[in-house]
């Protein structure tokens, strides 16, 4: 499995798998403590996390995003927090979806104005339509999480699928939430192109 590090900013970093789904994981650093979000394991990941500080916990934002959360939490000797509510360390959590088939929270770090979403928002090609920098999950486009996320004003948005938005993130969020419905045809076309491009030749 090929992956590369990405989303380097003052309070953390990410790593992304080279695949159609573009699974992306993150580590956030607060006062020397490292919180790992929706991780996929890879060569050098544990070493990079430990080099950033003392592991504090592994956070799973989506019930079905098991990925390697439990395994990495065990390796790091920290707790695995599954779809947490309320607050944890410097973070608070926003309920994005709470149904039998889909339970998801978004992580909001008010001190750094960082928003992390597992599935609700993404930048992978199959999420986006045309020139969108950030997009609502295809299955949420008809009813995007405006009430849950619309009041936030992030400086950084990190996604579970695709690289994050590190500049003008607030503008990207407002545009994604306000145009999700009318851009469905473009998203479908983009997803088909991305799927075809990912198939072996």
């Amino acid at each position: 499995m090929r992956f590369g590090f990405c989303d380097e900013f003052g309070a953390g970093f990410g790593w992304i798998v080279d695949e159609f789904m573009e699974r992306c994981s993150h580590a956030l650093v607060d006062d020397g403590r490292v919180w790992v979000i929706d991780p996929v394991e890879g060569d050098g990941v544990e070493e990079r996390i430990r080099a950033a500080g003392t592991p504090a916990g592994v956070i799973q934002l989506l019930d079905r995003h098991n990925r390697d959360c439990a395994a990495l939490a065990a390796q790091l000797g920290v707790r695995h927090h599954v779809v947490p509510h309320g607050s944890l360390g410097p973070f608070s959590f926003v309920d994005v979806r709470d149904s039998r088939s889909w339970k998801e929270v978004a992580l909001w770090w008010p001190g750094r104005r960082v928003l992390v979403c597992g599935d609700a928002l993404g930048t992978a090609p199959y999420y986006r339509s045309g020139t969108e920098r950030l997009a609502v999950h295809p299955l949420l486009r008809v009813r995007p999480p405006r009430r849950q996320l619309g009041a936030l004003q992030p400086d950084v948005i990190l996604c579970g699928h695709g690289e994050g938005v590190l500049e003008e993130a607030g503008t990207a969020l407002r545009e994604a939430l306000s145009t999700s419905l009318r851009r469905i045809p473009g998203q479908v076309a983009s997803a088909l192109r991305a799927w075809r491009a990912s198939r072996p030749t």
Side-chain angles (χ1 to χ4, degrees):
M1 183 175 64
R2 295 184 301 172
F3 78 95
F5 288 104
C6 64
D7 293 344
E8 305 273 358
F9 73 113
F13 61 90
W15 57 101
I16 188 167
V17 181
D18 183 12
E19 61 181 5
F20 172 75
M21 298 291 288
E22 292 195 6
R23 288 175 295 166
C24 197
S25 313
H26 295 92
L28 300 179
V29 185
D30 175 62
D31 196 24
R33 306 181 75 210
V34 186
W35 300 86
V36 185
I37 320 298
D38 288 344
V40 175
E41 287 191 278
D43 291 340
V45 167
E46 182 180 350
E47 292 78 3
R48 179 76 190 272
I49 291 169
R50 292 188 183 278
T54 303
V58 172
I59 300 172
Q60 181 178 330
L61 297 177
L62 179 69
D63 56 352
R64 61 178 182 271
H65 256 193
N66 299 318
R67 297 187 175 181
D68 297 313
C69 294
L72 189 57
Q75 290 173 26
L76 296 172
V78 297
R79 185 177 171 186
H80 173 203
H81 304 271
V82 182
V83 193
H85 296 275
S87 60
L88 180 64
F91 316 124
S92 60
F93 297 92
V94 180
D95 287 323
V96 174
R97 188 76 181 254
D98 187 9
S99 68
R100 183 174 299 177
S101 60
W102 190 331
K103 297 183 185 300
E104 180 177 358
V105 295
L107 180 152
W108 173 237
W109 187 0
R112 289 279 192 164
R113 297 167 67 98
V114 174
L115 174 65
V116 189
C117 289
D119 264 18
L121 301 172
T123 64
Y126 67 92
Y127 266 75
R128 295 183 287 113
S129 169
T131 59
E132 280 183 310
R133 293 192 300 137
L134 178 72
V136 174
H137 188 284
L139 296 181
L140 298 180
R141 277 185 174 265
V142 173
R143 297 181 64 185
R146 292 192 189 100
R147 178 178 55 81
Q148 299 91 327
L149 303 179
L152 302 178
Q153 297 183 19
D155 290 334
V156 171
I157 298 175
L158 305 175
C159 309
H161 297 276
E163 294 188 20
V165 179
L166 307 184
E167 296 181 0
E168 298 183 352
T171 300
L173 175 61
R174 290 190 294 274
E175 182 176 343
L177 294 174
S178 64
T179 64
S180 64
L181 181 59
R182 65 180 171 85
R183 287 182 164 174
I184 287 176
Q187 180 274 321
V188 172
S190 179
L192 286 172
R193 286 194 300 271
W195 178 74
R196 288 170 180 156
S198 70
R199 298 178 66 187
T201 55

